[in-house]
Amino acid sequence: MTISGHLQELNGLPVFDFPDSDAAVELPDAASVAWRVSTPTYCDPGQEQWEQAFARFLATVDTARVRALVVGGWDEAYDTSSAQIVTALIAANNRLTGLRAIFLGDMGFEDCEISWIQQSDVTPLLTAYPQLQEFGVRGGSELAFPAIHHSGLRTLVVESGGLGAQVVRGVVGSDLPSLENLELWLGTDEYGGDSTVGDLEPLLAGTGFPALRRLGLRNSVIQDEIAAAVASAPVVARLERLDLSMGVLTDEGAAALLAGQPLTHLAHLDLSHHYLSEEMSERVVDTLAPHGVTVDVGDAQEPEDDGDGEIYRYVAVAE
């Protein structure tokens, strides 16, 4: 799996690409769409840079009515961090007074591979926008997320091919009393994903995030260990949706999940992109579906053999 396209929706609003300076396009009502401001990651000399496009956006759109903002590509995103973008967004907080959602780094693989996207400390954005309800970021390289307090955030999504342990600890150690939906793409150590189940312990213990109802621990090379930990995790009892998709889940992890606490209270369990046998996939569905749980097992992935007897299993999104 690769990330080939761009976001189509944010915070319940369809994404609209803010047009180039020479494009004659009728603009929608400022509050009716999620505005995507983006420039090519490979810019020619003299081509409009992201900060210039954003300045033009602020001068063109009724900023007080903007509800959602998607940051797409910026010049040399594979080599230049998002720090300048973060700074520009913070400087506009007195104008984007109605902003409720931000997604930072909406780039497909043709723009910039997920592991190449250079991020930065993104938490100042949350401080600058205390009314923010939804925040998402793509790319784990140089990403920082020290523990933070934010009373209004309801959805937090961090997409990566490898999420550093320090970032994971910062997220799960944050004080987010309104958080309902948390999604972490943990990735693989080949791309910086060095977190362990121990780093998730405060989250799994259920001591933080009292409003949490939807949890995604996705795209992980240690998916079996995560499944085993989730099997006895107190946080699961209050979840409506559990997402362990995109990783290298095998029969061992699925068996541990079924042997743990009951999951029959869930509305949805997502295990898609897995390495389960057909028998185990059927067992998961047969155990939970009669209780009204929608179980997504998708298609099984085939391990690869390097010819020397070494078996490789891959997460859905890495590079």
Side-chain angles (χ1 to χ4, degrees):
M1 175 180 173
T2 57
I3 299 177
S4 57
H6 300 142
L7 290 182
Q8 299 300 306
E9 181 181 292
L10 181 65
N11 205 230
L13 298 172
V15 175
F16 177 83
D17 282 288
F18 183 64
D20 296 336
S21 57
D22 57 354
V25 177
E26 183 176 353
L27 300 181
D29 177 79
S32 67
V33 298
W35 295 87
R36 184 174 186 270
V37 180
S38 183
T39 54
T41 54
Y42 299 89
C43 282
D44 296 326
Q47 196 168 2
E48 186 178 51
Q49 305 292 299
W50 192 92
E51 293 93 329
Q52 295 171 313
F54 185 57
R56 186 166 51 82
F57 168 78
L58 294 176
T60 305
V61 176
D62 184 355
T63 54
R65 289 178 50 75
V66 172
R67 308 289 294 178
L69 182 65
V70 178
V71 176
W74 59 86
D75 185 32
E76 298 184 342
Y78 50 86
D79 196 39
T80 303
S81 84
S82 62
Q84 58 190 356
I85 313 296
V86 171
T87 298
L89 292 173
I90 291 171
N93 68 344
N94 62 337
R95 301 186 61 183
L96 295 167
T97 53
L99 195 62
R100 296 295 181 267
I102 298 174
F103 190 94
L104 178 60
D106 179 35
M107 288 173 263
F109 72 90
E110 291 186 349
D111 304 309
C112 188
E113 297 282 5
I114 190 170
S115 65
W116 299 358
I117 300 172
Q118 299 299 305
Q119 288 290 353
S120 60
D121 185 352
V122 296
T123 54
L125 283 172
L126 298 176
T127 301
Y129 291 92
Q131 303 304 314
L132 209 64
Q133 297 174 351
E134 182 172 348
F135 180 72
V137 58
R138 179 175 297 164
S141 294
E142 302 302 320
L143 178 66
F145 200 107
I148 190 173
H149 168 78
H150 194 287
S151 60
L153 197 67
R154 298 177 185 174
T155 295
L156 175 59
V157 177
V158 185
E159 301 177 352
S160 80
L163 197 57
Q166 191 169 7
V167 173
V168 173
R169 290 193 292 266
V171 170
V172 305
S174 291
D175 179 18
L176 306 173
S178 298
L179 193 69
E180 300 172 354
N181 179 30
L182 175 63
E183 183 177 319
L184 301 177
W185 294 19
L186 299 168
T188 170
D189 52 359
E190 294 180 359
Y191 292 97
D194 59 352
S195 64
T196 67
V197 170
D199 297 315
L200 296 167
E201 185 174 350
L203 167 65
L204 299 178
T207 54
F209 310 152
L212 193 67
R213 296 296 180 269
R214 297 178 295 280
L215 175 61
L217 299 174
R218 311 179 71 194
N219 199 48
S220 178
V221 73
I222 58 168
Q223 206 74 60
D224 279 350
E225 296 175 48
I226 290 173
V230 164
S232 60
V235 71
V236 173
R238 66 169 185 262
L239 296 180
E240 299 169 356
R241 180 185 177 99
L242 177 62
D243 188 342
L244 302 179
S245 67
M246 298 173 61
V248 295
L249 185 70
T250 70
D251 284 7
E252 179 182 352
L257 195 63
L258 291 179
Q261 63 187 304
L263 301 175
T264 52
H265 66 287
L266 294 174
H268 192 103
L269 174 65
D270 192 344
L271 303 179
S272 56
H273 187 282
H274 58 76
Y275 292 85
L276 304 181
S277 64
E278 183 176 349
E279 293 76 15
M280 181 57 76
S281 292
E282 291 177 354
R283 180 182 165 194
V284 173
V285 174
D286 291 346
T287 299
L288 297 176
H291 297 276
V293 183
T294 299
V295 183
D296 185 355
V297 291
D299 296 323
Q301 308 300 307
E302 290 294 330
E304 295 186 12
D305 190 327
D306 67 355
D308 295 322
E310 188 76 25
I311 299 297
Y312 290 96
R313 296 181 178 89
Y314 298 95
V315 297
V317 176
E319 185 179 13

Coordinates of all heavy atoms in Angstrom, one line a residue, residues 2 15 32 44 55 58 76 81 83 93 121 141 166 171 183 211 215 230 234 254-255 280 283 308 316:
T2 N 0.5 2.2 -0.8 CA 1.1 3.5 -0.8 C 0.1 4.6 -0.6 O -1.1 4.4 -0.9 CB 1.9 3.8 -2.1 OG1 1.0 3.6 -3.2 CG2 3.0 2.8 -2.3
V15 N -12.6 18.7 0.7 CA -11.4 19.4 0.5 C -11.5 20.2 -0.8 O -11.8 19.6 -1.9 CB -10.2 18.5 0.6 CG1 -8.9 19.3 0.2 CG2 -10.0 17.9 2.0
S32 N -17.7 26.4 3.8 CA -18.3 25.2 3.3 C -17.3 24.1 2.9 O -17.8 23.0 2.5 CB -19.1 25.6 2.0 OG -18.3 26.0 1.0
D44 N 10.4 25.2 -9.3 CA 11.3 25.9 -10.2 C 11.6 27.3 -9.7 O 10.8 27.8 -8.9 CB 10.7 26.1 -11.6 CG 10.4 24.7 -12.3 OD1 11.2 23.8 -12.1 OD2 9.4 24.6 -13.0
A55 N -0.2 33.5 2.1 CA -0.4 34.9 2.2 C -1.5 35.3 1.2 O -2.4 36.1 1.5 CB 0.8 35.7 1.9
L58 N -4.9 34.1 2.6 CA -5.4 35.0 3.7 C -5.9 36.3 3.1 O -6.9 36.9 3.7 CB -4.2 35.3 4.7 CG -3.7 34.1 5.5 CD1 -2.5 34.6 6.3 CD2 -4.7 33.5 6.4
E76 N 10.6 21.6 -1.4 CA 11.6 20.7 -0.9 C 11.2 20.1 0.5 O 12.0 20.1 1.5 CB 13.0 21.4 -0.7 CG 13.5 21.9 -2.1 CD 14.9 22.5 -2.0 OE1 15.3 22.9 -0.9 OE2 15.6 22.6 -3.0
S81 N 12.0 21.4 6.7 CA 11.0 21.0 7.7 C 9.8 21.8 7.6 O 9.8 22.9 7.0 CB 11.6 21.0 9.1 OG 11.5 22.3 9.6
A83 N 8.7 23.6 9.9 CA 8.8 24.6 10.9 C 8.3 26.0 10.4 O 7.6 26.7 11.1 CB 10.2 24.7 11.5
N93 N -3.2 33.1 13.5 CA -4.3 32.6 14.4 C -5.3 33.7 14.8 O -6.4 33.4 15.2 CB -3.7 32.0 15.7 CG -3.0 33.0 16.6 OD1 -2.7 34.1 16.2 ND2 -2.8 32.6 17.8
D121 N 8.4 20.3 15.4 CA 7.5 20.3 16.6 C 6.2 20.9 16.2 O 6.1 22.1 15.9 CB 8.2 21.1 17.7 CG 7.4 21.1 19.0 OD1 6.2 20.5 19.0 OD2 7.9 21.5 20.1
S141 N 9.6 11.9 10.1 CA 11.0 12.4 10.2 C 11.0 13.8 10.9 O 10.4 14.7 10.4 CB 11.6 12.5 8.8 OG 11.7 11.2 8.2
Q166 N 9.8 8.7 21.3 CA 9.6 10.0 22.0 C 8.3 10.7 21.6 O 7.6 11.3 22.4 CB 10.8 10.9 21.7 CG 10.8 12.1 22.6 CD 12.2 12.9 22.6 OE1 13.0 12.6 21.7 NE2 12.3 13.9 23.4
V171 N 2.6 11.9 22.9 CA 1.2 11.9 22.6 C 0.4 11.2 23.7 O -0.6 11.8 24.3 CB 0.9 11.1 21.3 CG1 -0.6 10.8 21.1 CG2 1.4 11.9 20.1
E183 N -5.4 8.0 16.5 CA -4.9 7.1 15.5 C -3.4 7.3 15.3 O -3.0 8.4 14.9 CB -5.7 7.4 14.1 CG -5.3 6.4 13.0 CD -6.1 6.7 11.8 OE1 -7.3 7.0 11.8 OE2 -5.5 6.7 10.7
A211 N -12.4 10.6 27.4 CA -13.5 10.6 26.4 C -13.2 9.7 25.2 O -14.0 9.6 24.3 CB -13.7 12.0 25.8
L215 N -9.9 4.0 18.8 CA -8.5 3.9 18.9 C -7.9 3.1 17.8 O -8.3 2.0 17.5 CB -8.1 3.2 20.3 CG -6.6 2.9 20.5 CD1 -5.8 4.2 20.5 CD2 -6.4 2.1 21.7
V230 N -3.3 -5.2 24.0 CA -4.7 -4.7 23.9 C -5.6 -5.7 24.6 O -6.7 -5.4 25.1 CB -5.0 -4.4 22.5 CG1 -6.6 -4.3 22.3 CG2 -4.3 -3.2 22.0
P234 N -7.2 -2.1 30.0 CA -8.4 -1.5 30.5 C -9.1 -0.5 29.6 O -10.3 -0.4 29.6 CB -7.9 -0.8 31.8 CG -6.7 -1.6 32.2 CD -6.0 -1.9 30.9
A254 N -3.7 -12.5 16.8 CA -5.1 -12.7 16.7 C -5.6 -13.6 17.8 O -6.6 -13.4 18.5 CB -5.6 -13.1 15.4
A255 N -4.9 -14.7 18.0 CA -5.3 -15.7 19.1 C -5.2 -15.0 20.5 O -6.1 -15.2 21.3 CB -4.4 -16.9 19.0
M280 N -7.9 -18.6 10.9 CA -7.9 -17.6 12.0 C -8.8 -16.4 11.6 O -9.6 -15.9 12.4 CB -6.5 -17.1 12.3 CG -6.5 -16.1 13.4 SD -7.2 -16.7 15.0 CE -5.9 -17.8 15.6
R283 N -12.2 -17.5 12.3 CA -12.5 -17.6 13.7 C -12.8 -16.3 14.3 O -13.7 -16.1 15.2 CB -11.3 -18.3 14.4 CG -11.4 -18.4 15.9 CD -10.1 -19.0 16.5 NE -10.1 -18.9 17.9 CZ -9.1 -19.0 18.7 NH1 -7.9 -19.3 18.1 NH2 -9.2 -18.9 20.0
D308 N 16.7 -17.4 1.0 CA 17.6 -18.0 2.0 C 16.9 -18.5 3.3 O 17.5 -18.7 4.3 CB 18.8 -17.1 2.4 CG 19.7 -16.7 1.3 OD1 20.0 -17.6 0.5 OD2 20.1 -15.5 1.2
A316 N 1.8 -1.8 5.8 CA 1.2 -1.3 4.6 C 1.9 -0.1 4.1 O 2.0 0.1 2.9 CB -0.3 -1.0 4.9

